[in-house]
Amino acid sequence: MSDVILQATGLHKSYQLGKVSLKVLKGVSLTLQRGEFVAIMGASGSGKSTLLHLLGALDIPDAGTVRFEGRDIFAGGSRARDRLRNATFGFVFQFYHLLPELTVLENTLLPCMVGNSVWSWFSRRHALRRQATEMLERMGLKERLRHRPNELSGGERQRVAIARALANRPRVLLADEPTGNLDAATGREILSVLKSLNEEGQTIVMVTHDPLVAASAHRIVSLVDGRIAARQEAPKAP
């Protein structure tokens, strides 16, 4: 089996702003190895979040391909992409995107509920609840299962978001500025969680503008004006 898990080739993406077409990505190619931790860096507007969205099938490129284990992720239509996002990719965002009316455990279980039919959910719900509970306990949230997001700190909310992203045991975890809304100490805690997951084999792609955060990765890919400007091994984190 090839060690390549995700491969983007010649990605172009533009957005229409009134009468102006804004070219965000201009022929980006990137190969991700199984078990890698890659940081994508760049200034605001460089295209790094757009690239992450294309890698995870959250958006569709104007041109180019993304292949997961050799298969074109855009070839199967919207339902196939929905299934891929639910079962294969896990997403962590800067602003958590937790549903305020749900508890910590309920938020974590959302991908499982979406990915199962009514009958499948009914028959598997106890096992899935145990799995989600174990993940939350691992994130240090054993005493927070019944809390709602507004009762949590920023770091706790992000740990819930990571647990939710891992609920369906994704092959690739995609994190968009996961420490960007946190203070430095809490950000280091979240990076420690991500590094621990990677050491256990989780493949991770992380977008960041912070070189200290990027230093946690194996490799740094720098975007400038919609193109890859440099690829380098990450320096050793202090």
Side-chain angles (χ1 to χ4, degrees):
M1 181 185 292
S2 171
D3 285 336
V4 174
I5 191 168
L6 199 61
Q7 185 170 40
T9 305
L11 291 180
H12 290 260
K13 183 66 181 178
S14 299
Y15 295 100
Q16 200 68 30
L17 300 177
K19 296 182 179 180
V20 177
S21 179
L22 178 63
K23 295 182 178 180
V24 180
L25 294 181
K26 306 169 184 177
V28 170
S29 297
L30 177 65
T31 298
L32 186 69
Q33 303 291 323
R34 200 179 312 276
E36 244 193 321
F37 187 173
V38 173
I40 300 174
M41 285 194 68
S44 178
S46 62
K48 57 187 186 297
S49 290
T50 298
L51 175 57
L52 196 77
H53 292 171
L54 296 180
L55 291 175
L58 288 172
D59 205 350
I60 300 173
D62 300 329
T65 61
V66 177
R67 295 184 180 277
F68 171 75
E69 295 186 336
R71 293 170 292 153
D72 187 342
I73 68 174
F74 300 112
S78 61
R79 287 189 178 181
R81 291 195 300 275
D82 289 345
R83 289 192 296 271
L84 193 69
R85 285 193 299 269
N86 180 258
T88 301
F89 300 131
F91 299 92
V92 180
F93 300 99
Q94 180 177 352
F95 294 106
Y96 325 129
H97 297 311
L98 302 176
L99 296 183
E101 66 274 18
L102 300 184
T103 66
V104 163
L105 181 57
E106 289 166 344
N107 267 287
T108 303
L109 282 166
L110 275 176
C112 302
M113 297 176 71
V114 170
N116 284 275
S117 65
V118 174
W119 172 250
S120 178
W121 166 252
F122 183 79
S123 63
R124 300 182 62 208
R125 68 190 187 283
H126 297 302
L128 291 171
R129 285 176 69 90
R130 282 196 302 273
Q131 181 179 306
T133 299
E134 289 169 3
M135 181 60 67
L136 288 165
E137 289 177 352
R138 177 182 174 183
M139 296 291 167
L141 297 166
K142 182 178 181 179
E143 308 302 325
R144 297 286 188 267
L145 300 185
R146 298 183 183 278
H147 286 63
R148 287 183 167 76
N150 65 359
E151 300 174 296
L152 306 177
S153 69
E156 288 172 332
R157 293 182 202 182
Q158 192 61 293
R159 280 182 275 160
V160 175
I162 293 172
R164 179 187 58 192
L166 296 170
N168 280 335
R169 298 177 178 174
R171 306 288 294 282
V172 181
L173 184 66
L174 301 164
D176 193 351
E177 297 280 8
T179 64
N181 203 35
L182 304 172
D183 61 71
T186 307
R188 286 194 294 271
E189 291 177 7
I190 296 303
L191 283 175
S192 178
V193 170
L194 294 177
K195 287 194 288 185
S196 176
L197 290 167
N198 175 251
E199 287 167 1
E200 295 172 10
Q202 179 67 60
T203 304
I204 301 175
V205 184
M206 176 180 66
V207 158
T208 183
H209 66 277
D210 187 337
L212 293 177
V213 172
S216 297
H218 299 148
R219 180 163 58 105
I220 298 171
V221 175
S222 297
L223 281 179
V224 177
D225 192 27
R227 295 184 173 90
I228 290 180
R231 307 166 195 257
Q232 64 187 73
E233 288 190 7
K236 293 290 185 181

